[in-house]
C-alpha cells in the first residue's frame, strides 16, 4: 500500500460495463480510502420511484419527492462492496435489477436529482480521501480531482462481461439483447443534456478490452504518485 500523506480525490469515468466500478472499488482498497459508487446512488433514486409508483416523466413530482429520499453508503471497502441504504433499508441487491438500471439512466438526466447527489458526494470528499466512478465525475462532480481516468472497452467485450454476470445470477437474457441494451445506454448517457458522458480533457485513457480487472487496477495504481 502506498504511503499517502494528504487527502485526495480520484475520479474514474467511462461507459457502462467498462469495468470502472470494480476497478475503482479495488483501487480504493489498495489505497486504503473510501470507494463511492455514484451509479448505485442514482439506482437508489430510480428504485424509490419504481416502488412508489412515480412516473419517470413527472420531473416536477420527482423534484418534490427528493426531500423524502435518504441514501447512505456504509461498510466502505467491504469484501462484498458497499452496502446501500435507501431510507434506512438495505437495497444493495434490489438496485442491480435491469428495470432499476434503465430507470437510473433516465433519472441521471434530471438536474434536481444530480444536484442533490453531487452535494452528498462532495460532502463525503470533504471528510475522507475517495475513489469515485461514474460518467461525469471528472467533468462535473470533481473537476479538480487529483487524478482522472477514463476507462473504455469495446461494446461487444463489455456486453460479454455483463452477460457473464447475468448468467451467474441465473438470468437467461441473450448476448444480443445485452449488446443492444448497452448501445442504448451509451447513446442515452452521451446525449443527455445534463452532465453527458464524455472524457475529461485531462483524464488518462485506459482501454480495458484486453485487460483483466487485476491488470487494469495495477496499471492505474502504478500511475498514482502522491
Amino acid at each position: 500500500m502506498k504511503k499517502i500523506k494528504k487527502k485526495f480525490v480520484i475520479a474514474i469515468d467511462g461507459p457502462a460495463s467498462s469495468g470502472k466500478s470494480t476497478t475503482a472499488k479495488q483501487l480504493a482498497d489498495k489505497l486504503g480510502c473510501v470507494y463511492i459508487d455514484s451509479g448505485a446512488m442514482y439506482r437508489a433514486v430510480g428504485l424509490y420511484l419504481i416502488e412508489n409508483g412515480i412516473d419517470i416523466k413527472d420531473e416536477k413530482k420527482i423534484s418534490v419527492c427528493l426531500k423524502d429520499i435518504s441514501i447512505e453508503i456504509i461498510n466502505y471497502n467491504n469484501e462484498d462492496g458497499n452496502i446501500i441504504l435507501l431510507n434506512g433499508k438495505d437495497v444493495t441487491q434490489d438496485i442491480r435489477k435491469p428495470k432499476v438500471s434503465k430507470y437510473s439512466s433516465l433519472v441521471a438526466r434530471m438536474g434536481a436529482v444530480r444536484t442533490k447527489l453531487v452535494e452528498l458526494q462532495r460532502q463525503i470528499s470533504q471528510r475522507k480521501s475517495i475513489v469515485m466512478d461514474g460518467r461525469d465525475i471528472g467533468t462535473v462532480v470533481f473537476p479538480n480531482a487529483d487524478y482522472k481516468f477514463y476507462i473504455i472497452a469495446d461494446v461487444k467485450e463489455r456486453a460479454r462481461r455483463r452477460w457473464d454476470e447475468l448468467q451467474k445470477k441465473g438470468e437467461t437474457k441473450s448476448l444480443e439483447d445485452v449488446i443492444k441494451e448497452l448501445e442504448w445506454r451509451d447513446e442515452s448517457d452521451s446525449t443527455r443534456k445534463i452532465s453527458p458522458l464524455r472524457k475529461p480533457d485531462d483524464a488518462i485513457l485506459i482501454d480495458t478490452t484486453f485487460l483483466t480487472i487485476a491488470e487494469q487496477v495495477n496499471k492505474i495504481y502504478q500511475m498514482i504518485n502522491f
Side-chain angles (χ1 to χ4, degrees):
M1 183 180 293
K2 295 179 183 289
K3 293 182 178 180
I4 302 171
K5 298 181 179 180
K6 71 167 189 173
K7 185 159 59 63
F8 61 85
V9 173
I10 296 175
I12 299 179
D13 290 302
S17 297
S18 57
K20 63 184 181 297
S21 293
T22 304
T23 296
K25 188 184 306 178
Q26 293 189 16
L27 180 64
D29 187 49
K30 286 176 73 71
L31 293 170
C33 65
V34 173
Y35 162 64
I36 300 179
D37 179 356
S38 65
M41 299 175 75
Y42 285 100
R43 287 168 182 267
V45 174
L47 178 62
Y48 179 90
L49 301 183
I50 292 172
E51 293 184 337
N52 289 275
I54 300 175
D55 189 341
I56 191 66
K57 297 179 181 180
D58 192 343
E59 293 193 34
K60 185 175 181 180
K61 189 171 184 178
I62 292 173
S63 296
V64 173
C65 82
L66 286 174
K67 62 180 175 54
D68 299 320
I69 298 177
S70 171
I71 301 173
E72 297 179 63
I73 304 176
I74 62 174
N75 288 3
Y76 301 119
N77 301 327
N78 183 337
E79 184 177 282
D80 298 318
N82 292 333
I83 293 175
I84 309 300
L85 299 182
L86 174 61
N87 292 341
K89 176 186 176 183
D90 185 348
V91 295
T92 308
Q93 300 303 318
D94 293 337
I95 63 173
R96 298 300 172 183
K97 294 178 180 178
K99 185 176 182 179
V100 178
S101 179
K102 190 167 185 177
Y103 256 61
S104 69
S105 184
L106 297 173
V107 164
R109 293 170 173 260
M110 302 175 185
V113 175
R114 301 197 71 84
T115 297
K116 178 183 176 69
L117 297 189
V118 168
E119 180 181 356
L120 175 59
Q121 292 154 3
R122 288 175 176 169
Q123 287 175 357
I124 296 174
S125 74
Q126 291 173 4
R127 302 190 301 270
K128 302 177 179 181
S129 291
I130 67 170
V131 175
M132 184 172 176
D133 73 284
R135 289 166 178 75
D136 67 341
I137 311 307
T139 55
V140 176
V141 185
F142 294 112
N144 296 317
D146 297 276
Y147 281 92
K148 299 179 186 180
F149 297 96
Y150 192 78
I151 294 181
I152 62 170
D154 178 78
V155 67
K156 291 183 179 179
E157 173 59 20
R158 289 189 283 129
R160 184 195 63 76
R161 294 171 184 174
R162 178 60 178 156
W163 183 77
D164 283 343
E165 292 177 358
L166 294 174
Q167 290 292 300
K168 292 175 182 178
K169 295 178 181 178
E171 298 186 31
T172 57
K173 186 173 295 185
S174 71
L175 179 59
E176 289 72 20
D177 284 342
V178 176
I179 292 175
K180 290 179 181 178
E181 287 181 0
L182 283 182
E183 290 176 337
W184 175 87
R185 187 68 182 270
D186 289 349
E187 176 69 15
S188 176
D189 290 341
S190 61
T191 60
R192 66 191 186 199
K193 293 182 179 180
I194 301 174
S195 302
L197 167 67
R198 70 175 180 80
K199 176 183 174 296
D201 293 335
D202 53 348
I204 300 171
L205 182 67
I206 305 289
D207 188 335
T208 71
T209 302
F210 303 106
L211 298 178
T212 64
I213 291 296
E215 288 172 338
Q216 58 200 56
V217 171
N218 286 331
K219 185 171 184 176
I220 292 175
Y221 183 76
Q222 295 303 322
M223 293 180 180
I224 296 171
N225 182 27
F226 289 108

